Amino acid sequence: MTTFQITARGPYSLASSARFLCGFTPAQGASATLADGRLVLGFLDESGYVPRVVALTQRGDVVSGELAAEASAHEVEAVARQVARVLSLDHDARGLAAIGDRDPVVAGLLAASPGFRPVCFPSPYEAAVWGVLAQRVAMPVAASIKQRLAVATETVAEGFGRSFHPAPAPARLLSVERFPGLTEEKIARLHAVARAALDGRL
């Protein structure tokens, strides 16, 4: 089994999520839009920190996903829940229009970005890794370091003709003692994040 479906409750536009992600520096190297319009995400799943690649399409209020590799039904369900959270499809937005009816500022925002919902990091672990990498450096530099770390730790996610660079898997990150562009302090902090992830504290 490699497919799943998520039903959006309330307005939602996958195209809006794709435009945001593909222009969001922290997501550089971890998302892409294919020629056929599919949004493809490369990330670590939250259960075992295994690289996953998912292609997403939307028809009406249904977002369909396809994993690039075979997975068990349990794994597919877990990935579907994670994708729903990343795209904020785990929330019911059917009441948002009523707020816009009462508030002209909200109405203006809804009109300017129809169907847009907040897009989140794939996991608290990947958010924490980015938070350390991006301290006191330009975001494009941090994004480049993250991609090089993914390659060096063999955490590259492959699928749908693309290579994606999520944060290094925690166990592999712990093996990094020195890395170009990272100070000893940053590596120590990254190790603390990795240990917290492996201990289930994230």
Side-chain angles (χ1 to χ4, degrees):
M1 178 179 176
T2 60
T3 61
F4 60 86
Q5 291 187 331
I6 303 168
T7 300
R9 293 168 294 165
Y12 175 68
S13 168
L14 183 65
S16 292
S17 294
R19 283 192 296 273
F20 176 84
L21 274 169
C22 293
F24 186 48
T25 302
Q28 183 178 320
S31 60
T33 302
L34 301 184
D36 60 10
R38 288 181 294 173
L39 171 63
V40 185
L41 305 177
F43 56 92
L44 298 179
D45 72 30
E46 294 182 288
S47 55
Y49 296 107
V50 175
R52 303 284 186 185
V53 180
V54 177
L56 302 166
T57 57
Q58 181 179 9
R59 176 172 290 183
D61 61 355
V62 175
V63 173
S64 299
E66 179 184 1
L67 276 70
E70 284 295 325
S72 69
H74 175 74
E75 290 170 330
V76 172
E77 289 173 8
V79 168
R81 286 194 301 271
Q82 188 171 352
V83 169
R85 186 184 55 76
V86 169
L87 301 178
S88 291
L89 290 172
D90 56 341
H91 290 279
D92 189 335
R94 287 174 290 190
L96 196 54
I99 297 174
D101 291 340
R102 300 192 304 269
D103 188 319
V105 174
V106 173
L109 292 171
L110 294 176
S113 301
F116 179 74
R117 297 194 189 191
V119 181
C120 306
F121 279 91
S123 66
Y125 169 70
E126 291 209 49
V129 168
W130 174 259
V132 174
L133 293 178
Q135 289 173 2
R136 302 176 69 86
V137 298
M139 286 202 296
V141 173
S144 174
I145 293 172
K146 189 186 83 159
Q147 290 185 50
R148 288 189 287 112
L149 270 172
V151 172
T153 59
E154 299 181 342
T155 317
V156 177
E158 305 277 354
F160 302 102
R162 301 290 184 95
S163 296
F164 298 92
H165 303 88
R172 294 177 181 268
L173 184 54
L174 286 172
S175 69
V176 176
E177 297 297 334
R178 285 180 293 277
F179 199 80
L182 293 178
T183 63
E184 289 184 9
E185 179 63 28
K186 280 195 174 184
I187 289 176
R189 292 178 180 180
L190 288 170
H191 285 179
V193 169
R195 284 191 290 269
L198 293 173
D199 290 344
R201 291 186 281 127
L202 296 182

